[in-house]
Amino acid sequence: MRTVVLASGRGSNLRALAEAVDAGRCAARLVGLVTDRPGAGALALAEERGMPARIVSPKDHASRPAWDAALADGVGELDPELVVLAGFMRIVGSPMLGRFGGRIINVHPSLLPAFPGKDGPGQAIATGVRISGCTVHLVDEGVDSGTILAQGAVPVLPDDDAGSLHARIQTVEHRLLPEVVHWIATGRLVLADGARFTDVPAAHHLSALVYPPLTH
Ligand code: GRF
């Protein structure tokens, strides 16, 4: 399954995907990286792996619609069957949704529908929730509002700040995202017509977590 990753940041989720592919745990082919940021750490990783990479920076385009169109063209040239947003810090516009809608997934650092948008971990700390986690979901025109595909939970510990919570959430992201991509690549999760599982993966039952732990 030709998979294109969009990332703006350091790219730890791209690395997790690549390592899962190398280890035979994820049946995707990573055919390219597209970023909006020339300084994205994900670019170094793509280069390290010999993965084609494109930079589509808003600074190089006169308007938001022009950037939206260039992004869709840049992704389209890589001919993806699946598009994975792994820390892509911009909303994808209608050109992307028109061409790849229904086969774009995103990983978000909160248990949606709680804390969409920026700084999911910071929102969780500010609200005082005791459990947070990550969500892999389909991308639609809203902000982190598409169909939820899978979630993983982590405790929020008493001394956490947004950074320490985010780091804990990422340990789950790095397992869950490659797994979801594998489910899609192998037909276990069918995205067409609103997303459905052909059989429920056992891993679904493993993500339940209660904190503080129950004593009886
Ligand atoms: C992840 O926590 C993801 O949930 C969010 O952006 C972060 C990207 O991290 N959308 P990385 O660049 O993959 O390390």
Side-chain angles (χ1 to χ4, degrees), residues 183-209:
W183 295 338
I184 297 167
T186 52
R188 200 171 200 182
L189 170 57
V190 178
L191 297 185
D193 302 324
R196 68 190 162 78
F197 285 95
T198 54
D199 68 316
V200 176
H204 249 43
H205 304 298
L206 298 178
S207 54
L209 183 151

Side-chain angles (χ1 to χ4, degrees), residues 7-15 42 85-89 106-110 121 134-135 144 166 169-170 173-174:
S8 307
R10 66 195 182 108
S12 70
N13 278 285
L14 173 61
R15 183 177 292 281
L85 309 189
F88 192 64
M89 299 312 282
N106 179 46
V107 56
H108 179 78
S110 78
C134 64
T135 303
D144 302 319
H166 196 179
I169 290 171
Q170 286 213 303
E173 291 183 346
H174 296 161

Side-chain angles (χ1 to χ4, degrees), residues 14-158:
L14 173 61
R15 183 177 292 281
L17 273 169
E19 287 177 357
V21 169
D22 289 351
R25 285 184 284 111
C26 181
R29 272 179 63 205
L30 300 179
V31 295
L33 167 73
V34 179
T35 184
D36 58 327
R37 287 191 44 226
L43 277 171
L45 175 60
E47 190 176 347
E48 194 183 295
R49 297 186 58 88
M51 190 188 301
R54 305 204 169 167
I55 302 167
V56 185
S57 170
K59 288 192 186 121
D60 298 332
H61 298 276
S63 63
R64 168 76 206 221
W67 176 78
D68 276 327
L71 181 69
D73 286 344
V75 173
E77 283 162 16
L78 296 164
D79 194 21
E81 294 167 276
L82 180 72
V83 177
V84 178
L85 309 189
F88 192 64
M89 299 312 282
R90 292 174 196 275
I91 307 293
V92 297
S94 52
M96 279 291 293
L97 291 169
R99 276 163 79 169
F100 312 111
R103 50 202 175 101
I104 309 175
I105 65 172
N106 179 46
V107 56
H108 179 78
S110 78
L111 293 175
L112 293 171
F115 315 136
K118 287 206 171 113
D119 195 15
Q123 293 184 63
I125 295 288
T127 310
V129 295
R130 288 285 166 236
I131 294 174
S132 189
C134 64
T135 303
V136 180
H137 64 93
L138 274 175
V139 171
D140 64 11
E141 57 286 339
V143 177
D144 302 319
S145 57
T147 302
I148 291 170
L149 303 174
Q151 294 184 304
V154 301
V156 182
L157 300 178

